[in-house]
Amino acid sequence: MGFSEQDILDALRKIQDPDLHQDIVSLGFIKNMVIQSGKVSFDIEMTTPACPIKDLFKAQAQTAVKKIEGVTEVEVKMTSNVKPAPVGIKNLNMPTVKNLIAVASGKGGVGKSTVAANLALALAKAGAAVGLMDADVYGPSIPRMLGVLNRQPDQDPVSKKMIPFEKHGIKFMSVGMLQESDTALIWRGPMASKLVQQFLGGVEWGALDYLLIDLPPGTGDIQLTLTQSVPLAGAIIVTTPQDVARAITQKGLRMFQQVHVPIIGIVENMSGFVCGHCGEVTPIFKKGGGRKMAEELLVPFLGEVPLEPLIAEDGDAGVPSVIAHPDALSGKAYDQIAMQMASQLSIINNATNQVKSRPKEVNTQDPQVTIITWDDDKVMRYPNRYLRSMCPCAQCVNELTGERMISLESIDPAVRILNVDPVGRYALHLQWSDGHGTGLYSFNTLQKLGE
């Protein structure tokens, strides 16, 4: 045998994760390597079983290692280990749930619950351990969508917590399981919030990679209770394409940003009606509003879900489309969006893990200098012209070569910051007086610039 384990690792270092911008060896993806004569076997452990490029990684790894002289056979096994969200606060209510994800919209009637149910099932299909919590206390629809009606939850004899229901490979709990199907809930905000807290701490969820939380529309008591009670890994925002829905949904997105919950991405639902006879797609609610909103707010666009008659039929039958009709346009869309969601969450978690210190205060009152006070009480001063010239966005830096495409001299000497918005727990979005606003400055980048 004329090769070593180091030779194999060196070959695998050439494979880059396009989302995390590091090679798969440095990221710690390579596990359980075994070398027997000319045969090499190892695992590639992804951050999610729903990784959209796992087949590409496997093919690249096999090709790279086969090129090593003396290697006669390569066996690559794809595995996954979903990491807990680095939220900085221990989740005492649900310590065995790795990532809590809010599914929200500012407006009712956009199909948020349908999206939440199908995304949960799509993640489970990919191999993840998934739960779905129906926190839409005023209009719980998850029990009907999953085909579990008129049943009361059992109680764990040891913990005395409610045992969630299981259907189609996911665990779920809903207020709809605690009431008669035709009974109206007339609750004030504090009572509804108390129920949400009970679902957060009083349900035996067990070990989960992802728990999706279907929220009611708006930005009221329940949303605030959720953000104050548990550390959310991120939020998915559901909208429909038309301007009236987009404008209201944007308010919901801003609420999560204000409480420092990362936005995983935007889903555009009902992007076009699919004719059941000819298959033609008609944009009855316009088209592209979700993508436009994502571009304007500098958040990821996860994808579009068409409006098909079978979506309503499947929901009424208790078997959502991603299970009942996986090859339909909507079924494929949900699978794709689930993979994008898992990928974006891995990016957010990785970026958050890199953070060493966070801004405590950003002072932009001086027209020439921005002053940032960090949570370790270190104070850094940034000349505005210099800070603008170091923008890391694709308009200012060539993503392939790393070459900076603007210079200090090309920046207006009077440029200043007009607005500062937090991006999750790892970056700031700066809006400049020269109209530029596509740059996200990570906390680590700002610290390096300040030094």
Side-chain angles (χ1 to χ4, degrees), residues 293-342:
M293 178 178 167
E295 291 172 352
E296 291 173 350
L297 300 177
L298 298 179
V299 298
F301 181 66
L302 301 180
E304 304 170 343
V305 181
L307 182 61
E308 293 185 281
L310 60 85
I311 296 177
E313 296 166 5
D314 293 340
D316 288 346
V319 187
S321 301
V322 77
I323 299 294
H325 293 93
D327 294 326
L329 291 177
S330 55
K332 292 178 179 178
Y334 288 127
D335 280 332
Q336 187 63 33
I337 291 169
M339 287 193 291
Q340 291 300 321
M341 185 220 81

Side-chain angles (χ1 to χ4, degrees), residues 233-345:
I236 298 169
I237 308 299
V238 182
T239 187
T240 46
Q242 70 269 39
D243 291 342
V244 64
R246 196 163 57 90
I248 298 172
T249 301
Q250 185 169 321
K251 296 178 181 179
L253 184 150
R254 289 296 191 193
M255 184 212 74
F256 285 107
Q257 289 182 326
Q258 288 172 9
V259 294
H260 305 289
V261 173
I263 304 300
I264 300 172
I266 292 173
V267 175
E268 180 182 291
N269 199 25
M270 309 181 197
S271 63
F273 173 72
V274 182
C275 177
H277 300 289
C278 67
E280 181 181 355
V281 179
T282 303
I284 55 177
F285 296 121
K286 301 173 68 174
K287 187 174 177 63
R291 186 182 296 276
K292 182 179 180 182
M293 178 178 167
E295 291 172 352
E296 291 173 350
L297 300 177
L298 298 179
V299 298
F301 181 66
L302 301 180
E304 304 170 343
V305 181
L307 182 61
E308 293 185 281
L310 60 85
I311 296 177
E313 296 166 5
D314 293 340
D316 288 346
V319 187
S321 301
V322 77
I323 299 294
H325 293 93
D327 294 326
L329 291 177
S330 55
K332 292 178 179 178
Y334 288 127
D335 280 332
Q336 187 63 33
I337 291 169
M339 287 193 291
Q340 291 300 321
M341 185 220 81
S343 177
Q344 288 299 325
L345 184 58

Side-chain angles (χ1 to χ4, degrees), residues 93-110:
N93 282 315
M94 291 179 283
T96 58
V97 178
K98 294 180 179 179
N99 294 275
L100 285 86
I101 301 164
V103 182
S105 67
K107 186 181 184 303
V110 300

